Amino acid sequence: MAVTMQDVAARAGVSIKTVSNVVNGYPHIRAATRERVEEAIDHLGYRINETARSLRTRRTDMITLAVPELSLPYFAELADSVIQAADARGLTVLIEQTGHGRVREVDVLTGKRRNMTDGLIFSPLELGPEDLALFDVDFPLVVLGERVFGAPADHVTMNNVAAAKAATMHLAALGRKRIAVVGGHEGEQVGSAALRTTGYRQGLEAAGLPYDPALVAEAGLWHRSTGAEAMGRLLDDGVEVDGVFALNDALALGALHALHTRRMEVPGDVSVIGFDDIDDARYSVPTLSSVDPGRVQIAQTAVELLVARITGAETGPYRRVIPDSRIIGRESTGDVPEGGEGRPVAVQQGGIEQVAVAAAPAPA
């Protein structure tokens, strides 16, 4: 027969209520009492009825992370960081992949699966400023990324413009005069591509270099293959290039491949810098300089904000958090000798600000 809470209480010589308090992590219990209850649980092999506890507390101890595409290294590493941060707080993470689809993103906010977890960390790609009403939800929500600003939710984003400007200026400081940007999205007004391209143009201006539309290599989805294609088009069209700022590291790795196949030396002929500082940047040949946007801090902050809303520890105004970002110099820009460890060569300060929207809903 299954061991009951009554059995544990009888062996430990305490009340059923005391056993319940120990099982549910109630802090104000004497150490000796807690030890007796835990010994009884271990000896009898008592297992908590998670379904009953969820019904009682109205919590599942699960949260959802919704991202566009796990095949992109940045989102895979972000998911890993979120899982680690959640695990440290006793939470399980359910991951949804929206696949660059608007319908899937709307379903993340409104679908039936929403009730399976206590809160949502959401990185939208297709939803935008015109969809703010969809984010007015009755559950704890943290928004990631650059597609939606001003939503009624806590928001963790990146220092996109300032970091892209710094990356471009770093290439210019190395003596590069013809700096291409790989990964542009023509006509985009909101999103990572628009913000980082703005930073690129600001960097050129600050360095006293002219903006040349011929140096903008458009790319659709930000993959290695599209980076290689975009870089290849520039070179095959005869565009003179001595520096490359790729809008993410996957694009940069593709650009390195295109340069290598055309027998161009990096960083001798062309210096290359990416964005995201994924793990692959440390193992490419040459190793890839990159902007570290604070991915681990983004994940940890998102989980902290979500947990605070779930538990009711935070009910005040929503916050927008921007972690510090750094440029990590490696072989692809000549910042370190071959085989050398990457090193920070510039830092952009982040910050915290209140978001001017209605107060957060109380947790269910």
Side-chain angles (χ1 to χ4, degrees), residues 10-33:
R11 179 176 176 83
V14 299
S15 67
I16 295 174
K17 178 63 175 176
T18 298
V19 175
S20 176
N21 287 340
V22 171
V23 166
N24 289 290
Y26 185 71
H28 305 298
I29 297 176
R30 287 180 297 177
T33 301

Side-chain angles (χ1 to χ4, degrees), residues 64-70 75 95-109 113 120-127:
T64 300
L65 170 67
V67 296
E69 185 178 355
L70 286 171
F75 287 115
I95 297 178
E96 289 204 40
Q97 181 172 265
T98 57
H100 308 277
R102 177 181 172 81
V103 172
R104 292 285 296 277
E105 290 190 353
V106 171
D107 188 62
V108 163
L109 293 170
R113 288 193 302 275
L120 169 65
I121 299 172
F122 182 26
S123 180
L125 189 64
E126 294 300 322
L127 298 181

Side-chain angles (χ1 to χ4, degrees), residues 125 183-189 192-194 197 216-222 247:
L125 189 64
H185 290 170
E186 185 177 3
E188 181 177 284
Q189 300 298 315
S192 300
T197 301
V216 179
E218 301 286 333
L221 299 178
W222 286 356
L247 298 187

Side-chain angles (χ1 to χ4, degrees), residues 164-176 179 273 289 327-330 333 335 343 345-346:
K165 177 181 178 180
T168 305
M169 292 179 66
H170 184 61
L171 291 171
L174 297 172
R176 304 302 175 171
I179 302 172
I273 190 167
S289 297
I327 294 177
I328 307 298
R330 296 192 179 92
T333 50
D335 286 298
R343 62 183 182 87
V345 295

